[in-house]
Amino acid sequence: GGSSGSPVVDVAGDAVALNAGSAIRSSSSFFLPLQRVVYALEHVRQGRVPPRGTLQAVFRHVTHTEAARLGLDPGAAAAEGVDLAGTTGVLIVHKVLPAGPAAGVLRVGDIVVGVDGTAVPGFPELFGIVDTAVGRSIGMRVFRKGRFATLHATVQDLYEVTPARCLRIGFSFLHDLSFQEAAQGSAAVSGVKVSQDYGGLFRRNHFAERTVIHEINYQPTPSLDALMRVLRGVRRDQPLVVKVKDFKDPREEAVFVAHFPPVSPADVLFTRSSATGFWSTTPFDGVLPALQSDMLPDPASTRPPVSSSFAGRILQCMAWVDVRPVCPADGHFYRNLGGCGLVVDRGRGLVLCSARLVVNPTSNLSVTFGATRIAATLAYVHPLYPVAFVKYNPELLPADVVPDLDLPNVDPPNVDLPGVNLPGVDLANLDLSSPRARLRIGDMVSVLSGTQSALDRIDAAVSSRQLLSTTACGSCLNQRFYNTEEFSLSPMPPAVDADVGVVVKDERICGLWLCLPECVHDGDRHRHVGLDIALVLPALAQLRREDTTPAAVRVLDVEFVRQPIATARALGVSLPRLQQIMRTDPRACSMLRVRRILRVRTPDTLSLEVGDIVLEVNGRDVLHIDDVASFTSKAVRLTIVRQGRQLELDMPTTPFCGANTRRIIYWAGMYLQQPYYTVLAQATRLASDVYMFAHFNGAPIEATAYQGNTFINEIAEHPITTLDDVVRVIQLVKDQGALAEFNRRVGEDHPLRSGTMPGRDVTIRTVLLNGDDAVKSVRTNDLYFGPWQLTRGSRIDDHWTWEQL
């Protein structure tokens, strides 16, 4: 807690220890004996590094009563020349690490009563001797199985098993396994610890923060030096065969194939100066550039020839989409995901998948077909529906790997497709607003889903159709979905790993079965919904036709809810109007009422109110949610009923983009981007076009009562309106030569003070989502939290690029 490092005083007011921490699940605290602090302070005052020794053994303090149960009589210890009078207990060996100085010498359960003729009833006495004996042999008087013996071991320098270097490769931070970490699993101090792995390069297993790399490409990596030797000469487009273990349970191990991320910062080696405690940076250029960045040299595909059966062709159109986020963005942090996608256009290299996979637009993507793995880009996230499109280079995929899924080109407002045949297309000249373009309640369908090698088929009936509504989490502000009609099935298909399934009726693709994006704070719920295929075809048509991101759809900035016709009559809808609706659509049983006004960047002329019932849009009856979900014009004319009266309104529309985040700036540990739609819907006022969603743990901003989800409107007394303003101010407050000079001095072990860290104090003014103003004072840190930015072009096949600012 915040009290760590504060003095612990006795009743006389004398400092006797330092507070070192506390147990999270109890009220206990841990203290560092003052003798150890004084020992280190005396050496530091004289400009020396305090010697530290280790036997690579863990000791536990036990009382004399417990020692007596183990057979040790204090009188017997005195007879051995070790006086334990006036002490509270003794030290017992708790763990002995393999290959350490004490291995083969000490055993678990040994009671150590003295070292070199001096009693060691506690930790201060033991380590007071061990720290002064680095490199020489010590004699330990040990009680074992009722007998005393003197055992000898050579004390090792503790700094040899304490990491002093850290390699950042991609977005992974690697260092030598420390003695303290190895002791947690009684493992040998060997291997390279994966301290952080934001891009998912080496944490591809359930060990998470306990991951230790023991082999790369079948070559041992007992140390960071060994790992760097293995990486030297490896190309970035080559896969790595990685063997890892859990340092808390070395019996648990895993082998997987890792791939370098196509977008990542430059590789850097951090080195700690033992004289000053500061870290310096040097480039690590051991990994060679890729020969071809779009494709990893996997073996040629061995998938079977294209199947002649309908289900077989669906299966062969399935691909595995792998997602590795680069940094937090759009309300989502570092969460590596993977799931199935459906190849909807082989010639253009377009894969349709659930938006659940690509909630973070900065992710490094790849698509796998059998044995072929291809780098991909996020082409489009639909702003209205939980679907996304991923694009790969089709020239890198053998022609016989994926059959052609004959989905037609469809442009709004006329959609010529209630379903898709394989092979060929059966057109019926229907538009989206027609009930015939949608699956009806009672239709018998099959859901086909798969994972490249196995196909699942579930027969069901369409049981209901209702408006889809998801809730935005107040913490992560993930994308919400509303004003969309979903369908349910009975029996409900069980939650499966497949993120997208094909809903088929009479061997025609009529819908999609999709896994919704879930909030990371609610856990992985894997909720699936049905979506009519006709809804996504207009976006697919634009992606087929253009290389740029499809134009933004325009919305009304309101959320609708269905209102039963009987209730609509009571709220003032005239009987002739209801009769007209029933003649147009005999199945109509509800109308659309405004449920919520979204607080976004809208003109002052916004005049819809909660409770309004919408009758017409541009003179056309509103019969379905699709009639008011999106538009192409900047304004529409609405006919509504409010408080029993029929009114005419000219309503402006707001552009709503998909995958519109194409720039992230990182500075002082803060991740800055343009506000996305969900943020705009939550904000009471828009202070600027710069939004701070997240920060890096330990960043300078964290020490200033950090509050996320804020707009930044001023830095160092410079007004901030856009991300370009942020870059301009960063260059103004940054001392260009300070970092190089700092690295030089640290590398030469020059004494430094903490205030010499490259950076400066700046004031940041922010506006919270609720409209409150806040001011923060931040000390920037150009060494550990140097500024950089990620940018991406406007083309759907543009990759992210990383740039140091």
Side-chain angles (χ1 to χ4, degrees):
S3 61
S4 296
S6 59
V8 179
V9 297
D10 60 14
V11 292
D14 296 326
V16 295
L18 290 184
N19 187 3
S22 61
I24 296 177
R25 298 183 179 180
S26 70
S27 59
S28 60
S29 297
F30 306 102
F31 306 103
L32 182 65
L34 201 60
Q35 301 99 310
R36 310 303 301 150
V37 179
V38 173
Y39 168 79
L41 180 60
E42 290 176 347
H43 283 82
V44 172
R45 280 176 171 173
Q46 299 176 28
R48 299 195 307 261
V49 177
R52 297 294 308 279
T54 181
L55 295 171
Q56 290 198 28
V58 179
F59 299 88
R60 183 168 58 91
H61 187 267
V62 299
T63 63
H64 287 305
T65 302
E66 185 174 351
R69 296 192 186 102
L70 297 174
L72 176 63
D73 182 0
E80 293 292 324
V82 179
D83 186 8
L84 298 177
T87 63
T88 60
V90 293
L91 296 176
I92 186 172
V93 178
H94 181 56
K95 294 180 180 180
V96 179
L97 272 59
V105 178
L106 294 177
R107 297 180 185 176
V108 174
D110 286 350
I111 299 176
V112 180
V113 296
V115 176
D116 288 344
T118 303
V120 288
F123 296 110
E125 294 81 5
L126 173 63
F127 291 108
I129 297 174
V130 170
D131 285 348
T132 59
V134 174
R136 68 176 178 86
S137 177
I138 59 174
M140 297 172 286
R141 197 61 177 164
V142 173
F143 179 78
R144 178 191 297 173
K145 294 183 178 181
R147 301 174 59 182
F148 284 94
T150 300
L151 307 176
H152 296 273
T154 300
V155 177
Q156 182 183 15
D157 190 342
L158 180 60
Y159 296 113
E160 293 179 1
V161 287
T162 301
R165 295 179 305 163
C166 180
L167 176 65
R168 185 186 70 191
I169 185 103
F171 292 95
S172 303
F173 292 81
L174 314 176
H175 59 74
D176 288 313
L177 183 67
S178 69
F179 159 67
Q180 290 82 359
E181 291 168 325
Q184 297 183 44
S186 300
V189 185
S190 177
V192 178
K193 166 76 182 305
V194 183
S195 179
Q196 297 285 351
D197 192 11
Y198 299 107
L201 177 59
F202 293 111
R203 283 190 187 171
R204 302 290 296 274
N205 54 80
H206 63 279
F207 303 155
E209 70 279 356
R210 307 185 306 274
T211 301
V212 177
I213 302 173
H214 281 267
E215 289 183 9
I216 291 182
N217 291 345
Y218 309 107
Q219 300 182 53
T221 56
S223 65
L224 187 62
D225 281 329
L227 182 140
M228 290 191 291
R229 284 195 298 269
V230 173
L231 292 180
R232 291 188 186 277
V234 174
R235 294 199 315 272
R236 289 194 176 274
D237 55 358
Q238 290 179 317
L240 303 175
V241 180
V242 183
K243 181 178 181 179
V244 298
K245 293 185 178 181
D246 182 345
F247 71 75
K248 287 189 175 181
D249 187 356
R251 298 170 300 176
E252 293 289 335
E253 59 183 31
V255 177
F256 57 87
V257 176
H259 300 273
F260 290 101
V263 180
S264 66
D267 301 333
V268 171
L269 179 65
F270 294 85
T271 304
R272 182 180 181 271
S273 168
S274 60
T276 65
F278 288 106
W279 295 75
S280 61
T281 61
T282 55
F284 174 72
D285 53 4
V287 183
L288 300 178
L291 294 180
Q292 188 175 16
S293 60
D294 287 335
M295 184 177 180
L296 300 173
D298 290 325
S301 172
T302 56
R303 299 183 73 173
V306 175
S307 173
S308 59
S309 69
F310 177 79
R313 296 187 65 184
I314 291 294
L315 175 62
Q316 289 183 299
C317 287
M318 292 289 181
W320 185 261
V321 180
D322 200 52
V323 182
R324 296 289 177 263
V326 172
C327 68
D330 285 9
H332 289 269
F333 292 87
Y334 304 97
R335 191 179 187 191
N336 300 327
L337 295 171
C340 279
L342 180 69
V343 180
V344 291
D345 193 309
R346 183 184 64 188
R348 288 279 288 172
L350 294 173
V351 179
L352 182 148
C353 64
S354 166
R356 183 187 79 89
L357 294 179
V358 290
V359 289
N360 187 326
T362 68
S363 301
N364 287 315
L365 306 177
S366 64
V367 181
T368 302
F369 304 89
T372 303
R373 180 178 180 271
I374 305 175
T377 59
L378 177 58
Y380 186 61
V381 178
H382 205 292
L384 302 179
Y385 314 123
V387 297
F389 294 90
V390 171
K391 190 177 187 307
Y392 63 91
N393 185 351
E395 296 178 359
L396 302 177
L397 186 67
D400 61 344
V401 172
V402 179
D404 197 6
L405 191 63
D406 299 317
L407 292 176
N409 283 305
V410 180
D411 291 308
N414 294 322
V415 176
D416 300 326
L417 187 73
V420 180
N421 273 350
L422 286 177
V425 179
D426 182 20
L427 304 179
N429 294 319
L430 302 174
D431 68 44
L432 275 172
S433 63
S434 170
R436 291 182 297 166
R438 302 183 291 273
L439 286 169
R440 298 182 179 185
I441 296 177
D443 284 348
M444 298 302 299
V445 298
S446 297
V447 179
L448 303 178
S449 60
T451 56
Q452 297 180 286
S453 59
L455 182 71
D456 295 323
R457 173 172 178 158
I458 299 174
D459 296 325
V462 178
S463 58
S464 64
R465 297 187 67 96
Q466 56 277 330
L467 293 185
L468 170 64
S469 180
T470 61
T471 303
C473 170
S475 298
C476 61
L477 293 179
N478 52 302
Q479 182 179 0
R480 293 190 63 224
F481 297 98
Y482 44 84
N483 296 345
T484 300
E485 189 176 64
E486 60 164 314
F487 60 81
S488 299
L489 300 175
S490 180
M492 183 70 73
V496 294
D497 291 335
D499 287 271
V500 59
V502 177
V503 180
V504 175
K505 178 184 178 183
D506 300 328
E507 293 200 349
R508 301 166 69 199
I509 301 176
C510 295
L512 301 170
W513 190 247
L514 296 162
C515 184
L516 286 178
E518 70 276 356
C519 171
V520 296
H521 298 92
D522 292 340
D524 194 355
R525 294 176 294 177
H526 283 290
R527 176 190 170 192
H528 287 70
V529 299
L531 193 70
D532 295 307
I533 188 67
L535 295 177
V536 303
L537 292 179
L540 175 59
Q542 294 184 63
L543 292 171
R544 283 172 160 172
R545 184 176 58 247
E546 302 171 1
D547 290 328
T548 56
T549 302
V553 299
R554 306 189 72 89
V555 296
L556 288 176
D557 287 334
V558 298
E559 181 179 353
F560 291 99
V561 65
R562 281 176 172 165
Q563 190 74 59
I565 283 184
T567 304
R569 178 72 179 93
L571 292 175
V573 180
S574 65
L575 183 59
R577 170 69 68 173
L578 294 177
Q579 292 173 340
Q580 175 183 337
I581 293 175
M582 296 299 293
R583 286 193 298 269
T584 305
D585 184 4
R587 293 192 176 192
C589 59
S590 63
M591 304 184 72
L592 295 177
R593 175 174 58 85
V594 177
R595 175 186 180 185
R596 188 167 69 101
I597 303 295
L598 303 178
R599 295 173 296 181
V600 294
R601 193 181 349 187
T602 51
D604 295 334
T605 54
L606 176 65
S607 52
L608 272 179
E609 297 180 1
V610 173
D612 289 348
I613 297 177
V614 181
L615 304 178
E616 296 180 1
V617 175
N618 293 333
R620 182 177 179 179
D621 290 338
V622 173
L623 303 174
H624 191 266
I625 189 64
D626 293 336
D627 297 327
V628 293
S630 63
F631 305 92
T632 56
S633 58
K634 295 183 178 180
V636 293
R637 187 164 185 82
L638 303 179
T639 302
I640 67 170
V641 169
R642 176 186 299 168
Q643 299 179 357
R645 296 184 304 162
Q646 183 169 308
L647 303 174
E648 301 288 331
L649 300 176
D650 290 321
M651 182 73 179
T653 59
T654 301
F656 191 1
C657 300
N660 58 331
T661 298
R662 293 180 175 268
R663 189 180 187 185
I664 302 289
I665 294 177
Y666 176 82
W667 176 67
M670 298 179 291
Y671 295 94
L672 309 176
Q673 65 172 90
Q674 286 184 304
Y676 50 99
Y677 190 85
T678 306
V679 173
L680 299 176
Q682 297 289 327
T684 55
R685 65 186 176 101
L686 186 62
S688 73
D689 211 27
V690 178
Y691 172 68
M692 176 177 61
F693 159 66
H695 74 286
F696 194 91
N697 290 337
I701 192 69
E702 191 177 30
T704 61
Y706 164 83
Q707 293 187 28
N709 300 328
T710 62
F711 298 96
I712 293 181
N713 58 3
E714 183 180 291
I715 298 176
E717 300 183 354
H718 295 276
I720 299 297
T721 303
T722 66
L723 292 175
D724 287 334
D725 295 334
V726 175
V727 174
R728 176 177 53 83
V729 173
I730 288 175
Q731 301 304 325
L732 289 175
V733 302
K734 181 180 178 182
D735 188 341
Q736 302 293 339
L739 182 58
E741 176 63 15
F742 180 86
N743 277 326
R744 184 190 67 80
R745 297 189 65 187
V746 172
E748 297 175 357
D749 289 340
H750 284 291
L752 297 170
R753 295 182 178 180
S754 59
T756 60
M757 183 76 70
R760 59 170 291 183
D761 295 317
V762 296
T763 300
I764 301 177
R765 291 187 176 274
T766 65
V767 176
L768 306 182
L769 289 180
N770 63 6
D772 291 344
D773 293 290
V775 179
K776 307 175 187 298
S777 179
V778 178
R779 175 72 183 183
T780 64
N781 187 320
D782 295 334
L783 176 65
Y784 302 129
F785 303 98
W788 50 260
Q789 70 173 340
L790 286 172
T791 56
R792 188 184 175 205
S794 61
R795 294 172 57 89
I796 60 177
D797 54 359
D798 283 339
H799 289 268
W800 288 90
T801 58
W802 185 91
E803 177 189 4
Q804 186 81 44
L805 294 176

